[in-house]
Amino acid sequence: MQETILVLVIFFVILIIAMIFFFRVQTASISKMHDEFQEERFYNLVMWVQDMPELRVSDLLYEEQCIDYYKALAFSEVSSNYKGEFGWTNISLEIGGTKEVIYSNKPPKFNDLRRITSPVCLYDERDQRHKVVKMEVIWYKK
Amino acid sequence: MRKGQIDAMGLVIIVILLVVIGLAVMFFTLRSSSDEDNFLTIKANSLMNALDKADLNEGRFRELVGGCCEGVDSDCDVVRVFFDNLVENIDENASLYIDGNYFSGRDCDVFVSSTSFVEGVSCSASVRMCK
């Protein structure tokens, strides 16, 4: 009888240790998945921004995957309303050596930041040309 | 060994086996493809899309590539100079391939390729982003 109780006690102790271990691993993996999701969202911003109707070139029924310079300028004035979409990021376009910030939301404190750049299409109405410019996205990680 | 000790050993082995199996399942289910590779594909396609529409002083980039394929040397020179300057300005390790052959830019062995555009009957161009 005593042996059986001892065996059961040892079994449950080991089981509890294993469960605690699994819960820890599970919590860590959920946290990792959350980070990966945020990272994927951050990478996809480059594509997503170019596709936004607020920024892309359009004329009546014609649309193309290219950022309109004047739309980008206008968007930068109202982009503070897009915090839910862009979060803690800074999105800018480098046009002919000058940087045009189209969205900026920098937290007062952050632990780390990630910076990515990508070439994008920009239609500049000033000289009526399609150009290849650099888009920079900075993600402030809290 | 007494009977209780043998039972305890058996249970320990069972728990260890469960832990090992659980870890193996987690390892294989939580492994994901690299986000950076996916991002390079986005970048390559974004560059190709921008090049496809780009207007140069000498004409549209797409038409100049078409002219280059037909053997117009001046068009080839314009495309080469434009692309070399572009990768310098935007600071990207990218190269331009025309009809599957290296044409200009920063070439590399490990890369992600964009979708290609086709100009004329059989002239295709694509860009490769270095990893």
Side-chain angles (χ1 to χ4, degrees):
Chain A
M1 181 65 183
Q2 273 184 335
E3 281 176 347
T4 309
I5 290 169
L6 190 68
V7 165
L8 285 173
V9 167
I10 292 170
F11 174 74
F12 282 112
V13 165
I14 294 170
L15 194 67
I16 288 166
I17 291 170
M19 279 173 73
I20 290 169
F21 175 73
F22 271 115
F23 278 128
R24 289 241 171 116
V25 171
Q26 203 67 18
T27 311
S29 70
I30 289 169
S31 167
K32 191 174 163 232
M33 275 168 74
H34 176 260
D35 287 350
E36 281 174 2
F37 171 73
Q38 293 290 335
E39 194 147 322
E40 201 176 314
R41 199 164 171 244
F42 166 62
Y43 283 133
N44 285 335
L45 266 182
V46 170
M47 213 63 206
W48 189 48
V49 167
Q50 293 183 68
D51 272 338
M52 285 175 72
E54 291 91 329
L55 291 171
R56 69 192 292 177
V57 172
S58 61
D59 182 20
L60 297 176
L61 290 174
Y62 172 74
E63 281 195 346
E64 63 180 12
Q65 196 189 27
C66 198
I67 295 171
D68 187 315
Y69 174 73
Y70 282 118
K71 276 190 173 184
L73 283 189
F75 180 75
S76 65
E77 314 243 319
V78 295
S79 61
S80 56
N81 297 320
Y82 287 74
K83 285 179 182 164
E85 285 81 5
F86 299 137
W88 300 111
T89 56
N90 180 300
I91 304 168
S92 59
L93 295 169
E94 205 175 295
I95 309 162
T98 55
K99 196 179 260 189
E100 297 284 354
V101 177
I102 56 175
Y103 171 82
S104 183
N105 188 21
K106 189 177 175 182
K109 275 186 180 179
F110 55 92
N111 294 325
D112 190 16
L113 65 82
R114 296 280 304 275
R115 187 192 306 266
I116 51 169
T117 58
S118 174
V120 293
C121 173
L122 178 104
Y123 178 67
D124 195 339
E125 184 62 40
R126 293 172 298 178
D127 52 10
Q128 298 188 329
R129 274 187 179 193
H130 291 83
K131 298 172 181 173
V132 184
V133 299
K134 185 161 89 173
M135 177 189 278
E136 184 186 66
V137 183
I138 300 170
W139 174 30
Y140 303 102
K141 294 176 90 170
K142 291 184 87 180
Chain B
M1 274 191 177
R2 291 194 318 196
K3 185 180 172 286
Q5 286 173 319
I6 293 168
D7 288 352
M9 284 290 286
L11 290 170
V12 168
I13 290 167
I14 288 169
V15 171
I16 288 170
L17 275 176
L18 286 174
V19 169
V20 170
I21 291 166
L23 282 177
V25 168
M26 273 187 200
F27 178 74
F28 286 110
T29 54
L30 293 177
R31 263 193 349 178
S32 59
S33 65
S34 162
D35 281 340
E36 287 183 18
D37 276 7
N38 294 339
F39 178 60
L40 276 182
T41 310
I42 291 174
K43 265 173 108 162
N45 286 331
S46 182
L47 176 58
M48 196 69 245
N49 170 58
L51 286 173
D52 187 18
K53 298 178 175 72
D55 297 309
L56 282 63
N57 289 334
E58 296 79 3
R60 284 191 70 184
F61 181 84
R62 183 187 184 99
E63 286 157 7
L64 291 165
V65 168
C68 182
C69 283
E70 286 167 13
V72 183
D73 288 342
S74 59
D75 286 356
C76 291
D77 292 341
V78 171
V79 170
R80 186 175 287 114
V81 170
F82 172 76
F83 194 82
D84 283 339
N85 286 338
L86 179 71
V87 290
E88 201 68 42
N89 289 338
I90 60 174
D91 195 24
E92 293 288 354
N93 288 325
S95 51
L96 177 67
Y97 273 70
I98 296 180
D99 278 341
N101 299 312
Y102 168 77
F103 190 74
S104 66
R106 300 169 182 169
D107 203 16
C108 52
D109 294 329
V110 187
F111 57 84
V112 172
S113 187
S114 73
T115 52
S116 52
F117 71 66
V118 179
E119 178 67 21
V121 182
S122 61
C123 182
S124 68
S126 63
V127 289
R128 291 181 178 182
M129 283 280 176
C130 296
K131 279 194 183 177

